[in-house]
Amino acid sequence: MTDGNGFLSERLLVVAFEGWNDAGEAATGAVGTLKDLLDVSPIAEIDPETYFDYQFNRPTISTGEDGIRVLEWPSAIMYGPTTPGESAVPLADDAQLRVSGTNAGNIYLLLGTEPSRSWKSFAAEILDAALAADVGGIVFLGAMLADVPHTRPISIFVSSDNPQVRAELQIERSSYEGPVGILSVLAIAAEAVGIPTLSIWASVPHYVHNAPSPKAMLALIDKLEEIIDVVIPRGELVNEAAEWQSGIDVLAGEDEEMAAYIAQLEQARDTVDSPEASGEAIAQEFEKYLRKRGDGRDGRTDGRADGRPGPDGPRQP
């Protein structure tokens, strides 16, 4: 997938944050899965005292295996390969337990909680750590709430503000304008210091926003695997995604209003995905769908029928 000089040939930092950018815990779940599968260790950690409001992002307490109670503070940690640059080609006995491929040894991770304040300083500190690790590209993972049905494939939108990355990977540039989360702040700052970026966003059905979405997590991992040219074991995630969908099916079967609403979303999605549908037909069908719902702005929708960011941007999880 790479000629040795492009985005994929660089050390890649894969980023996800809890909070505004993480509907259904899909983005942090995907990066957390990579952390468990890759041979990585912490290489940088920000000071939480500087960036977090603990009344908003409270620390959590748990009991360790030794019986000692431990506090875990909101933070952001960067992980790097134990042996940078080496391919993590697995042995036969752990083929389903390790990320593999020629690019596996070039993957770095950043996993944390969206900060409460001092975003410019936060971004500068993160990028200093990325530059120190000689990171050559950043992949941001995000998930938003949208008017999409849980019964259809999760919509994924890949974009980049970098023209070379768009040309290399044949992806689009986002046209979104409006409020943003820390991912956008980091992306703009990274491009300013010469680190190319791309973003991968998943659409999560807004009517199940209170529960983690393994189906959205799986969709992000599928697209990430395709783009960064590695093989990522799925483990139990495929079964968990199927169980998640079945569970919502059961709930919808007990709620006629919810079932009718999901059927409307399915009709809108199927119209958009129809190969014979023209752009004008799609627009007309979507307008009809909005009219059925009133003004289409009932406080629950911030996305389009195809799952891409709508005019008001991704909704806060």
Side-chain angles (χ1 to χ4, degrees):
M1 292 184 66
T2 175
D3 59 5
N5 297 309
F7 182 81
L8 296 179
S9 66
E10 304 289 346
R11 291 183 176 181
L12 298 177
L13 176 63
V14 183
V15 177
F17 283 91
E18 297 175 1
W20 201 83
N21 315 275
D22 192 32
E25 302 175 17
T28 53
V31 174
T33 297
L34 282 177
K35 181 173 74 71
D36 293 339
L37 295 172
L38 286 165
D39 185 15
V40 295
S41 57
I43 59 174
E45 182 174 1
I46 63 97
D47 180 4
E49 294 290 326
T50 305
Y51 301 111
F52 292 96
D53 178 350
Y54 295 140
Q55 288 186 320
F56 183 72
N57 297 117
R58 292 183 180 272
T60 59
I61 192 167
S62 60
T63 302
E65 294 181 358
D66 54 5
I68 297 177
R69 301 279 275 169
V70 178
L71 280 173
E72 183 175 349
W73 298 88
S75 186
I77 302 174
M78 185 179 295
Y79 301 86
T82 301
T83 309
E86 287 195 2
S87 300
V89 179
L91 301 174
D93 58 352
D94 68 353
Q96 300 302 315
L97 304 176
R98 296 280 300 280
V99 174
S100 61
T102 57
N103 213 28
N106 288 323
I107 300 175
Y108 290 66
L109 306 174
L110 175 61
L111 186 61
T113 302
E114 185 176 64
S116 307
R117 52 179 172 261
S118 304
W119 283 18
K120 292 180 182 179
S121 298
F122 180 87
E125 188 170 339
I126 291 297
L127 291 177
D128 282 346
L131 290 169
D134 199 25
V135 166
I138 301 180
V139 180
F140 296 101
L141 301 187
M144 61 184 172
L145 298 178
D147 271 356
V148 292
H150 72 283
T151 53
R152 300 296 186 264
I154 295 292
S155 297
I156 296 290
F157 182 60
V158 183
S159 66
S160 175
D161 281 336
N162 187 286
Q164 286 75 33
V165 174
R166 293 200 302 273
E168 179 182 351
L169 301 180
Q170 297 297 300
I171 58 177
E172 303 177 31
R173 181 176 187 175
S174 174
S175 60
Y176 170 71
E177 296 181 347
V180 297
I182 191 62
L183 295 186
S184 295
V185 174
L186 284 170
I188 295 295
E191 292 285 350
V193 298
I195 302 178
T197 67
L198 69 83
S199 298
I200 306 174
W201 281 81
S203 296
V204 177
H206 71 82
Y207 51 87
V208 288
H209 65 90
N210 288 326
S213 176
K215 187 173 180 178
M217 188 192 310
L218 183 62
L220 282 173
I221 289 177
D222 287 345
K223 180 56 69 172
L224 182 65
E225 179 183 80
E226 173 188 336
I227 287 179
I228 67 176
D229 197 18
V230 296
V231 177
I232 305 172
R234 304 305 195 272
E236 293 297 316
L237 196 55
V238 174
N239 292 334
E240 291 172 1
E243 291 172 359
W244 174 85
Q245 181 167 324
S246 297
I248 302 172
D249 288 342
V250 171
L251 291 176
E254 300 172 350
D255 186 330
E256 291 184 3
E257 183 178 351
M258 181 180 181
Y261 175 64
I262 292 172
Q264 290 180 351
L265 294 179
E266 290 172 337
Q267 182 180 5
R269 173 65 182 272
D270 292 345
T271 299
V272 170
D273 290 344
S274 174
E276 66 271 10
S278 66
E280 183 178 357
I282 291 173
Q284 290 176 351
E285 184 62 30
F286 188 52
E287 288 173 2
K288 183 191 302 181
Y289 156 72
L290 292 178
R291 285 195 295 272
K292 288 181 180 179
R293 296 185 55 204
D295 61 0
R297 305 291 298 170
D298 64 355
R300 299 184 298 180
T301 174
D302 294 311
R304 298 192 177 109
D306 62 358
R308 296 186 181 184
D312 294 327
R315 179 179 172 172
Q316 180 175 345

